[in-house]
Amino acid sequence: MTAEEADAPATRGRARKYTQVLGVIYQAAVEVFAADGLAGASTQAIADKAGLSKAQLHYYIESKEALYRQVLQDIINDWIGVFGFSDEAFGPRKVLTDLIQRKMLFSFEHPLRSRIFAAEMMRGAPVIREMMGTSKQRTNQAAAVIQNWIHRGLMDPVDPMLFLFHLWAVTQFYADHAAQVAYFRDVPVSDEKDRRYLTEQVTEFLLKGAGVR
Amino acid sequence: MTAEEADAPATRGRARKYTQVLGVIYQAAVEVFAADGLAGASTQAIADKAGLSKAQLHYYIESKEALYRQVLQDIINDWIGVFGFSDEAFGPRKVLTDLIQRKMLFSFEHPLRSRIFAAEMMRGAPVIREMMGTSKQRTNQAAAVIQNWIHRGLMDPVDPMLFLFHLWAVTQFYADHAAQVAYFRDVPVSDEKDRRYLTEQVTEFLLKGAGVR
Amino acid sequence: MTAEEADAPATRGRARKYTQVLGVIYQAAVEVFAADGLAGASTQAIADKAGLSKAQLHYYIESKEALYRQVLQDIINDWIGVFGFSDEAFGPRKVLTDLIQRKMLFSFEHPLRSRIFAAEMMRGAPVIREMMGTSKQRTNQAAAVIQNWIHRGLMDPVDPMLFLFHLWAVTQFYADHAAQVAYFRDVPVSDEKDRRYLTEQVTEFLLKGAGVR
Amino acid sequence: MTAEEADAPATRGRARKYTQVLGVIYQAAVEVFAADGLAGASTQAIADKAGLSKAQLHYYIESKEALYRQVLQDIINDWIGVFGFSDEAFGPRKVLTDLIQRKMLFSFEHPLRSRIFAAEMMRGAPVIREMMGTSKQRTNQAAAVIQNWIHRGLMDPVDPMLFLFHLWAVTQFYADHAAQVAYFRDVPVSDEKDRRYLTEQVTEFLLKGAGVR
DNA sequence: GATGAATGAGGGTTCATTCAT
DNA sequence: TATGAATGAACCCTCATTCAT
């Protein structure tokens, strides 16, 4: 589970020179942060995993916190693409199905980063909060879209915000608890066909829960 | 957020004299573990929060890990009561409604401990695993009950295990992300009426998602 | 090896009341000091071995150092009886044979205390030195007796002081290295017949080395 | 007494750069271990004596125990050369005289390390034992050589193993008790001529004790 | 760029001893 | 007498970071 993820961020458009080493550091940081959290992570552990000396590591990074922030920032960037609604005109069934698919895919392919994000959230998002005014606006917009669909009778009159929570909770579960999922189901999550199965089940469950037509 | 929880375990049947100090320590530990995780928690922080010196703290506890294990153990004990099925003869609507209610209540009243448990799970449950053979058996029994209900046409043919996951994920969300929930909804979670509302919404969503009749 | 020794000192003529507990403490102290030295010994370890709490222990003793000094004092007292020459008129063969016998007996029966003494000596006897003006005088007297025997042709002209060293070194070895002796010889030292054998061999060796007639 | 020994190990063939600091640490460790034993030695004391901060010390060493093991290992390595028999064909007088000479020289030149070794032995050799299978084999071979000499009438029929013990005990005495020896004899041990005298006396005593011809 | 070294703070834990009770 | 609790120092060791080279 620890190293299962080829989880480099989209480094297009960064400085050229460092990139390779930075990628290694980044990956190491993701693994260590996912395993031990920000407070529990040690630069020594990150350096070891990256095959660098601590001094070398600190040449590339500004500080442990900065590295953590960078990881978070990348996650957030990817997140926007994942969690954004496509055109609401397509109706809830298509839009939400797409969204759930993207979210599940992200859970499967980036469990470690997904977990870092969740852990940060669970702590009350102290670091994220000072990085960005939390996307309350964006979330409210999404809720409004859902409210609109409800008005138009395209889905049951659920509380839009709660529905978004539930969607997030269920899909996130497959990233956060990959180990448990595999353990209880006796199926390695990485299996491609199984991923499709899980995605279908989750989609159906969520859509049905909200009475999406 | 850090100290919002009067979260002492059921100390009935412990030694008498200790209890008060131990309770303070316990509470402090819960808060620190919830905030920083096992690795990130410092005995200094726990001692400070409990109003003790580090040496004093270590007079009462065996070690940081032992304290963590004790917290986990208490959570697990409570958990069993919360997550167990009542008599399946009552049918899924009643049984699951009760379960969800209990789970939501626990999320509301013990968010910190709930979060510690979730964090431990997210890490692959390294400590829990060596404390108890993970309750695979219990989970399988629950799945069997659901399967039975499905056979009897009392609910839609969902994957029982996945349904349990979803139930856990959604209810857990309200503990793990209490801050976010409050933030996005502009409602302090502690409000009694709102808790009922949330519980109802969650219950309806989950039952509908599984087509419970 | 650790607890093989019923090694209470001659407590005749001490205070009456304490005696029993003191004896237990004393014995525990001997074992711990023998195992870990003064610096390495912990009052916790002594208290544990004595079946007392640390507080209780400190009620009976003045301090760790004082306890150590007491042990040393007792050893020294016993030592005087062991290492003193009987009437030189009996000649070296009888006098030295007796001495060696007493010394070997002490080594066998009080290996732990013997070892504590040796360890103190090896450290340069910092504690002993401030307890007693080292018995240089006594040792010089013994050397003088030997010198006299040499003059009278009763033994070879060895350096008297060195001979005393050697006598001490060889007999002490069987206390200090009881474990090694047993290990290399495949014979448990405690065996009675073997003790006689060892004593005979040592005696013969030492007397022959000094050409005692 | 504490710092009287230029006791660096044979560092030929080690890393170059480190060597100086490591040497200082090594020497400091030898002194502290000799004075207080493994348990009683503090890294603070070692650091102080080496002129380093504790953190600095720990940059160079792995742990206190590892440092201790390293010291022991070096001693053992030197020991092999010292305590090994040369060709038995030369007969006991030459072979044993050489051995005693080497052993005495080591006692004179490395009293602290010699003492550390002896102290380790006195404790039952817990650390050494897990570093090396105790050299029972080697010792048995030496005993066999002596037995052979006895059969050939080259020395008296002493117990070979005991003779080896005595040889060890007597020569070791001059390392373990250097302070006492100097104190009782009013002669600083370091005196070159005196060392020769002591060695001669010891040699004669031991050979005569075993009736070596 | 990269390395070995240093630093000062802090990690968890145990220490010997004292003090109410 | 005995116990639970407290204390302040010390224990070994690791921390994130910096700095010459």
Side-chain angles (χ1 to χ4, degrees):
Chain A
M1 156 88 30
T2 33
E4 95 283 53
E5 176 173 29
D7 210 358
T11 29
R12 309 279 139 65
R14 294 265 182 95
R16 262 295 71 104
K17 197 69 160 307
Y18 286 91
T19 307
Q20 196 162 359
V21 181
L22 280 186
V24 174
I25 290 175
Y26 186 91
Q27 177 55 21
V30 165
E31 290 173 20
V32 174
F33 284 137
D36 297 325
L38 170 57
S42 83
T43 55
Q44 182 67 72
I46 296 172
D48 286 353
K49 222 179 257 281
L52 301 171
S53 70
K54 256 198 312 188
Q56 223 173 328
L57 175 68
H58 276 279
Y59 173 79
Y60 284 97
I61 70 172
E62 194 195 313
S63 71
K64 190 175 79 161
E65 266 245 354
L67 182 53
Y68 180 72
R69 261 195 300 273
Q70 196 204 122
V71 170
L72 275 185
Q73 186 59 63
D74 286 330
I75 297 174
I76 291 168
N77 291 343
D78 288 358
W79 225 244
I80 290 171
V82 170
F83 218 70
F85 274 20
S86 44
D87 188 347
E88 73 175 90
F90 289 118
R93 176 155 293 274
K94 163 136 188 54
V95 170
L96 293 175
T97 299
D98 283 0
L99 169 55
I100 293 167
Q101 225 157 35
R102 288 198 304 272
K103 187 71 169 36
M104 288 297 278
L105 191 64
F106 196 86
S107 280
F108 290 140
E109 300 203 324
H110 306 287
L112 298 185
R113 287 160 70 205
S114 198
R115 221 172 295 172
I116 291 171
F117 185 79
E120 167 71 12
M121 281 299 167
M122 280 171 59
R123 297 182 53 221
V127 178
I128 280 191
R129 207 187 295 277
E130 67 173 41
M131 285 173 61
M132 57 186 301
T134 0
S135 50
K136 197 168 180 174
Q137 200 187 355
R138 201 189 316 275
T139 311
N140 281 333
Q141 285 173 353
V145 169
I146 290 172
Q147 192 60 57
N148 186 21
W149 283 332
I150 292 172
H151 275 324
R152 290 162 56 200
L154 299 177
M155 51 190 293
D156 286 355
V158 299
D159 185 314
M161 194 65 82
L162 299 193
F163 175 66
L164 289 173
F165 290 165
H166 300 164
L167 196 160
W168 201 86
V170 168
T171 53
Q172 186 68 27
F173 183 87
Y174 291 87
D176 295 354
H177 301 269
Q180 277 73 34
V181 171
Y183 174 69
F184 280 111
R185 297 183 65 240
D186 298 315
V187 178
V189 177
S190 47
D191 176 77
E192 183 52 40
K193 195 160 36 175
D194 192 53
R195 288 185 175 186
R196 259 202 309 277
Y197 170 70
L198 290 176
T199 305
E200 279 164 20
Q201 290 283 316
V202 166
T203 305
E204 191 187 335
F205 178 78
L206 290 173
L207 294 190
K208 200 158 46 165
V212 172
R213 273 166 275 286
Chain B
M1 148 98 28
T2 33
E4 96 283 52
E5 175 174 27
D7 210 358
T11 29
R12 309 275 141 66
R14 294 264 183 95
R16 257 295 76 97
K17 195 64 164 307
Y18 266 125
T19 305
Q20 199 161 359
V21 183
L22 281 187
V24 174
I25 290 175
Y26 187 92
Q27 178 53 22
V30 165
E31 289 172 20
V32 175
F33 284 136
D36 296 324
L38 171 56
S42 83
T43 54
Q44 183 63 255
I46 296 173
D48 285 352
K49 219 179 259 277
L52 302 171
S53 71
K54 243 189 340 176
Q56 224 173 325
L57 174 68
H58 277 282
Y59 172 76
Y60 286 96
I61 71 171
E62 196 194 308
S63 70
K64 190 177 80 162
E65 265 245 355
L67 182 54
Y68 180 72
R69 261 195 298 272
Q70 196 204 124
V71 170
L72 275 186
Q73 186 61 62
D74 286 332
I75 297 174
I76 291 169
N77 291 343
D78 289 356
W79 222 245
I80 289 171
V82 169
F83 217 69
F85 273 22
S86 45
D87 188 349
E88 73 174 274
F90 289 120
R93 177 155 291 275
K94 164 142 188 52
V95 170
L96 293 175
T97 298
D98 283 359
L99 170 56
I100 293 166
Q101 225 158 33
R102 288 198 305 273
K103 187 70 171 37
M104 288 297 279
L105 190 64
F106 195 87
S107 280
F108 290 141
E109 300 203 325
H110 305 286
L112 297 185
R113 289 160 69 206
S114 199
R115 221 171 296 172
I116 291 171
F117 185 80
E120 166 73 12
M121 281 298 166
M122 280 172 59
R123 297 182 53 222
V127 178
I128 281 191
R129 209 186 294 277
E130 68 172 42
M131 286 174 58
M132 59 183 301
T134 2
S135 50
K136 197 168 181 175
Q137 200 187 356
R138 200 187 316 277
T139 309
N140 281 332
Q141 285 173 353
V145 169
I146 290 172
Q147 190 61 56
N148 188 21
W149 284 331
I150 294 173
H151 275 322
R152 290 163 55 199
L154 300 176
M155 54 190 291
D156 285 356
V158 299
D159 185 314
M161 193 66 83
L162 298 193
F163 175 66
L164 289 172
F165 290 166
H166 300 163
L167 194 161
W168 201 86
V170 169
T171 53
Q172 186 69 25
F173 182 87
Y174 291 87
D176 295 354
H177 302 268
Q180 279 74 31
V181 170
Y183 175 69
F184 279 112
R185 297 182 64 241
D186 297 316
V187 179
V189 177
S190 47
D191 176 79
E192 182 54 37
K193 195 160 36 174
D194 192 53
R195 287 185 176 186
R196 260 202 308 279
Y197 170 69
L198 291 176
T199 305
E200 278 163 23
Q201 289 285 313
V202 166
T203 305
E204 191 187 335
F205 178 77
L206 291 173
L207 295 190
K208 201 158 44 164
V212 172
R213 272 168 275 283
Chain C
M1 151 95 23
T2 32
E4 95 284 53
E5 177 175 25
D7 210 357
T11 30
R12 309 278 138 65
R14 294 267 183 94
R16 262 290 74 102
K17 199 65 163 309
Y18 286 90
T19 307
Q20 197 161 357
V21 181
L22 281 185
V24 173
I25 290 175
Y26 186 91
Q27 178 54 20
V30 164
E31 289 172 20
V32 174
F33 284 137
D36 297 324
L38 170 58
S42 82
T43 55
Q44 183 67 72
I46 296 173
D48 284 354
K49 223 180 255 280
L52 301 171
S53 70
K54 256 198 311 187
Q56 224 173 327
L57 175 69
H58 276 281
Y59 173 76
Y60 284 99
I61 71 172
E62 194 194 311
S63 72
K64 190 175 79 161
E65 266 245 353
L67 181 54
Y68 179 72
R69 262 195 298 273
Q70 195 204 124
V71 169
L72 275 186
Q73 187 59 62
D74 287 331
I75 297 175
I76 291 169
N77 290 344
D78 288 359
W79 223 245
I80 290 172
V82 169
F83 218 68
F85 274 20
S86 45
D87 187 349
E88 73 174 273
F90 289 118
R93 177 155 291 273
K94 164 138 188 52
V95 170
L96 292 176
T97 298
D98 283 0
L99 170 56
I100 293 167
Q101 226 158 32
R102 288 198 303 273
K103 187 69 169 38
M104 288 295 280
L105 191 64
F106 196 87
S107 280
F108 289 140
E109 301 203 323
H110 305 287
L112 298 185
R113 288 160 68 206
S114 200
R115 221 172 295 173
I116 291 171
F117 185 80
E120 167 72 12
M121 281 298 167
M122 280 171 59
R123 296 182 54 220
V127 178
I128 281 191
R129 208 188 294 277
E130 68 172 40
M131 286 174 58
M132 59 186 300
T134 1
S135 50
K136 197 169 181 175
Q137 200 187 355
R138 203 189 315 274
T139 310
N140 280 333
Q141 285 173 354
V145 169
I146 290 173
Q147 191 61 56
N148 187 20
W149 284 332
I150 294 173
H151 275 322
R152 289 161 56 198
L154 300 176
M155 54 189 293
D156 286 355
V158 300
D159 185 313
M161 195 65 84
L162 300 192
F163 175 66
L164 289 173
F165 290 165
H166 300 163
L167 195 160
W168 201 86
V170 169
T171 54
Q172 186 67 26
F173 182 88
Y174 290 88
D176 294 355
H177 300 269
Q180 278 73 33
V181 171
Y183 174 68
F184 280 113
R185 298 182 64 240
D186 297 315
V187 179
V189 177
S190 46
D191 176 78
E192 181 54 39
K193 195 156 41 169
D194 192 53
R195 287 185 176 186
R196 261 204 306 279
Y197 170 70
L198 291 176
T199 306
E200 278 165 22
Q201 290 284 315
V202 166
T203 305
E204 191 187 333
F205 179 77
L206 290 174
L207 295 190
K208 202 156 48 163
V212 173
R213 270 168 275 283
Chain D
M1 149 100 22
T2 34
E4 96 284 52
E5 176 175 26
D7 209 358
T11 29
R12 310 275 141 65
R14 294 264 183 96
R16 239 349 11 134
K17 196 62 163 308
Y18 266 127
T19 306
Q20 199 160 358
V21 183
L22 281 187
V24 173
I25 290 174
Y26 187 92
Q27 178 54 22
V30 164
E31 290 171 21
V32 174
F33 283 138
D36 296 324
L38 171 57
S42 82
T43 54
Q44 182 64 253
I46 296 173
D48 287 351
K49 220 179 259 280
L52 301 171
S53 71
K54 245 191 334 181
Q56 225 174 325
L57 174 68
H58 279 282
Y59 172 76
Y60 286 97
I61 71 172
E62 195 194 308
S63 70
K64 189 176 78 160
E65 264 246 355
L67 183 53
Y68 180 71
R69 262 195 297 275
Q70 195 203 124
V71 170
L72 273 186
Q73 187 60 62
D74 286 332
I75 297 175
I76 291 169
N77 291 344
D78 289 357
W79 222 244
I80 291 171
V82 169
F83 217 69
F85 274 21
S86 43
D87 188 348
E88 72 174 276
F90 290 120
R93 176 154 292 274
K94 164 139 188 53
V95 170
L96 293 176
T97 298
D98 283 0
L99 170 56
I100 293 166
Q101 225 158 34
R102 290 198 304 271
K103 187 71 169 38
M104 288 296 280
L105 190 64
F106 195 86
S107 280
F108 290 139
E109 300 203 323
H110 306 287
L112 296 184
R113 287 161 69 207
S114 200
R115 220 171 297 172
I116 291 171
F117 186 79
E120 166 73 10
M121 282 297 167
M122 280 172 58
R123 296 183 53 221
V127 178
I128 281 190
R129 208 186 294 277
E130 68 172 41
M131 286 173 59
M132 58 184 301
T134 2
S135 50
K136 198 169 182 174
Q137 199 187 358
R138 202 190 312 278
T139 309
N140 281 332
Q141 286 173 351
V145 169
I146 290 173
Q147 192 60 55
N148 188 21
W149 283 333
I150 292 173
H151 275 322
R152 291 161 56 198
L154 299 176
M155 53 190 293
D156 285 356
V158 300
D159 185 314
M161 194 66 84
L162 299 193
F163 175 65
L164 289 173
F165 289 167
H166 300 162
L167 195 160
W168 202 86
V170 169
T171 53
Q172 186 69 27
F173 183 87
Y174 291 88
D176 294 354
H177 302 269
Q180 279 73 32
V181 170
Y183 174 67
F184 280 112
R185 297 182 65 240
D186 298 315
V187 179
V189 177
S190 47
D191 176 78
E192 182 53 41
K193 197 160 34 174
D194 191 53
R195 287 184 175 187
R196 261 203 306 279
Y197 169 70
L198 291 177
T199 304
E200 279 164 21
Q201 289 284 314
V202 166
T203 305
E204 192 187 332
F205 179 77
L206 289 174
L207 295 191
K208 202 156 45 162
V212 172
R213 271 167 276 284

